[in-house]
């Protein structure tokens, strides 16, 4: 309190004598967002609408919560408008210390985030739900280098992989080696390509870049003749980039034919079980699977559930697959399918063509 009293008295006396206070040092422009991993991974960058708390040790009247204004600034007593958006809490703390040098003796200032505003980015390409994605506000305390309850809090730090997950995960056609982050800057757009496939294999996600408002993430499709397609689809299906569920059509001799939702790591038996299981008339050695390939062609596969179960036939069920369980005897499977699947029956006519066997 004594420090506060003498600071206020000094300022009042100076004003009474008509002596102007020294102007705050010229503020540097907010740093341009960089894609360099050493910069983007150091922490959350403040943005307009965030609520922050500024604590000045020993000066309770200077310590308060503020909401960052639409122009990206905050107002600080004795300093004026200070640019906050685009800085990390650590950057802003250091900047405020420099601004108070000459006003306070050895100022100790800490900035923490109490609530973040919604972050909106766009995710396009090979994801389940392309379009704008909004990260809901997060609350908590994120001090500059501080901890809470023994755990470091990183409130609001969203990355490319988080945005992809929010968009429902990638499709099986996604080329996660060439994910592009596009950031709109005042003069131009900045682009950076990230190899998430390499990150999944090595466990090194340092290049999983942090996001800022308005970023766009593009997930391209795999080339039709790319030899890595199958390996990538299988590994991605078990990662955090995969959708939570996939949709598969199951027809033929199952108890509840139609569309089912299953885990992307599921196998053929899981899809049949989700459709109520096979009927008594089913021939589990006569199962057909149809799949649309990236080049638009339809791949047809003949499967034997016994061989799939013992591993002699390998198949990974994917989103959009059509599974048909045949019936024992000479039953016209494709014609029967039209009776309960309507337009899907036309798709199942492909099963009358030669199959590819594993």
């Amino acid at each position: 309190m004594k420090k506060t009293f003498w600071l206020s008295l000094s300022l009042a006396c100076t004003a009474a004598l008509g002596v102007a206070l020294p102007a705050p040092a010229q503020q540097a422009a907010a740093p341009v967002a960089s894609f360099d991993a050493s910069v983007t991974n150091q922490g959350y960058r403040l943005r307009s609408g965030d609520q922050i708390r500024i604590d000045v040790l020993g000066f309770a009247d200077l310590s308060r919560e503020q909401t960052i204004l639409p122009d990206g600034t905050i107002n600080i007593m004795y300093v004026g408008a200070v640019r906050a958006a685009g800085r990390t809490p650590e950057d802003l703390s250091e900047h405020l210390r420099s601004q108070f040098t000459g006003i306070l003796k050895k100022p100790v200032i800490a900035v923490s985030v109490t609530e973040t505003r919604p972050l909106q980015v766009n995710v396009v390409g090979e994801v389940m739900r392309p379009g704008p994605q909004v990260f809901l506000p997060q609350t908590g305390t994120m001090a500059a280098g501080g901890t809470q309850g023994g755990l470091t809090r990183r409130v609001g730090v969203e990355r490319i992989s988080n945005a992809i997950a929010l968009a429902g995960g990638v499709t099986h056609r996604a080329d996660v080696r060439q994910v592009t982050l596009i950031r709109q800057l005042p003069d131009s757009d900045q682009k950076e390509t990230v190899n998430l496939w390499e990150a999944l294999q090595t466990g090194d996600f340092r290049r999983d870049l942090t996001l800022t408002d308005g970023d766009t993430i593009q997930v391209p499709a795999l080339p039709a003749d790319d030899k890595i397609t199958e390996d990538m689809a299988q590994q991605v299906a078990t990662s955090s980039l995969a959708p939570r569920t996939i949709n598969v059509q199951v027809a033929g001799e199952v108890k509840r034919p139609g569309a089912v939702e299953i885990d992307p790591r599921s196998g053929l038996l899981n899809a049949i079980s989700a459709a109520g299981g096979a009927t008594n008339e089913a021939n589990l050695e006569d199962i057909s699977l149809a799949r649309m390939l990236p080049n638009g062609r339809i791949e047809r596969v003949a499967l034997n559930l016994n061989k799939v179960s013992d591993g002699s036939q390998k198949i990974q069920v994917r989103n959009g697959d059509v599974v048909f369980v045949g019936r024992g005897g000479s039953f016209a499977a494709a014609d029967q399918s039209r009776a309960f699947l309507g337009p899907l029956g036309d798709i199942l006519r492909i099963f009358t063509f030669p199959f590819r066997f594993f």
Side-chain angles (χ1 to χ4, degrees), residues 64-127:
R64 64 186 62 190
E65 287 194 7
Q66 292 200 44
T67 299
I68 300 178
L69 299 175
D71 65 357
T73 66
I74 54 175
N75 288 308
I76 304 297
M77 187 183 301
Y78 307 133
V79 173
V82 173
R83 181 77 183 178
R87 302 180 187 274
T88 65
E90 293 88 346
D91 292 339
L92 184 56
S93 297
E94 183 60 34
H95 182 71
L96 291 176
R97 278 194 290 271
S98 68
Q99 293 293 295
F100 273 100
T101 299
I103 299 177
L104 302 179
K105 184 178 181 180
K106 295 183 179 180
V108 178
I109 301 173
V111 176
S112 59
V113 180
T114 57
E115 183 174 341
T116 63
R117 78 166 178 83
L119 169 68
Q120 180 170 310
V121 298
N122 299 304
V123 185
V124 297
E126 292 298 329
V127 291

Side-chain angles (χ1 to χ4, degrees), residues 6-312:
W6 286 114
L7 174 65
S8 302
L9 180 61
S10 173
L11 292 170
C13 293
T14 305
L17 292 172
V19 180
L21 288 173
Q26 183 68 28
Q27 295 179 27
V32 177
S34 170
F35 286 110
D36 182 73
S38 63
V39 175
T40 57
N41 287 336
Q42 61 180 280
Y44 176 70
R45 292 189 176 273
L46 301 168
R47 54 185 184 266
S48 300
D50 285 350
Q51 291 184 7
I52 62 175
R53 177 168 181 82
I54 300 172
D55 289 297
V56 182
L57 185 64
F59 295 93
D61 58 338
L62 296 178
S63 302
R64 64 186 62 190
E65 287 194 7
Q66 292 200 44
T67 299
I68 300 178
L69 299 175
D71 65 357
T73 66
I74 54 175
N75 288 308
I76 304 297
M77 187 183 301
Y78 307 133
V79 173
V82 173
R83 181 77 183 178
R87 302 180 187 274
T88 65
E90 293 88 346
D91 292 339
L92 184 56
S93 297
E94 183 60 34
H95 182 71
L96 291 176
R97 278 194 290 271
S98 68
Q99 293 293 295
F100 273 100
T101 299
I103 299 177
L104 302 179
K105 184 178 181 180
K106 295 183 179 180
V108 178
I109 301 173
V111 176
S112 59
V113 180
T114 57
E115 183 174 341
T116 63
R117 78 166 178 83
L119 169 68
Q120 180 170 310
V121 298
N122 299 304
V123 185
V124 297
E126 292 298 329
V127 291
M128 302 297 288
R129 296 190 302 273
Q133 310 296 330
V134 179
F135 292 96
L136 296 179
Q138 301 183 48
T139 59
T141 300
M142 181 181 65
T147 61
Q148 184 179 32
L151 297 174
T152 300
R153 294 293 302 273
R154 294 176 64 82
V155 178
V157 180
E158 307 296 355
R159 304 185 183 277
I160 292 176
S161 59
N162 302 130
I164 290 175
L166 197 61
V170 298
T171 71
H172 64 270
R173 297 185 297 272
D175 187 351
V176 296
R177 298 169 301 180
Q178 301 289 329
V179 178
T180 302
L181 176 59
I182 303 173
R183 180 162 297 162
Q184 294 182 344
L185 300 178
D187 298 329
S188 62
D189 289 348
Q190 186 174 5
K191 296 183 179 182
E192 180 77 3
T193 300
V194 179
N195 189 337
L196 293 180
W197 169 247
E198 183 179 75
L200 288 174
Q201 292 181 308
T202 63
D204 184 356
F205 281 86
R206 285 178 294 179
R207 292 293 293 163
D208 188 8
L209 304 177
T210 54
L211 302 175
T212 191
D213 209 42
D215 282 351
T216 296
I217 298 99
Q218 291 182 339
V219 183
L222 279 161
D225 57 350
D226 199 317
K227 295 181 180 179
I228 201 173
T229 299
E230 190 66 29
D231 290 340
M232 183 177 293
Q234 291 186 11
Q235 185 164 340
V236 169
T238 62
S239 74
S240 60
L241 300 178
R244 292 186 178 181
T245 60
I246 58 174
N247 293 309
V248 177
Q249 295 279 356
V250 185
E253 291 300 324
V254 290
K255 296 176 182 177
R256 295 193 301 272
V260 297
E261 285 192 354
I262 57 176
D263 189 280
R265 297 163 293 185
S266 299
L268 184 63
L269 181 58
N270 300 101
I272 295 173
S273 298
T279 66
N280 294 332
E281 292 80 15
N283 180 4
L284 297 181
E285 296 181 356
D286 180 21
I287 299 176
S288 308
L289 182 143
R291 172 177 297 162
M292 181 76 73
L293 299 178
N295 59 10
R297 293 190 300 106
I298 295 177
E299 179 184 46
R300 301 172 296 273
V301 183
L303 299 168
N304 181 326
L305 188 58
N306 295 325
K307 293 183 178 180
V308 172
S309 298
D310 66 21
S312 56

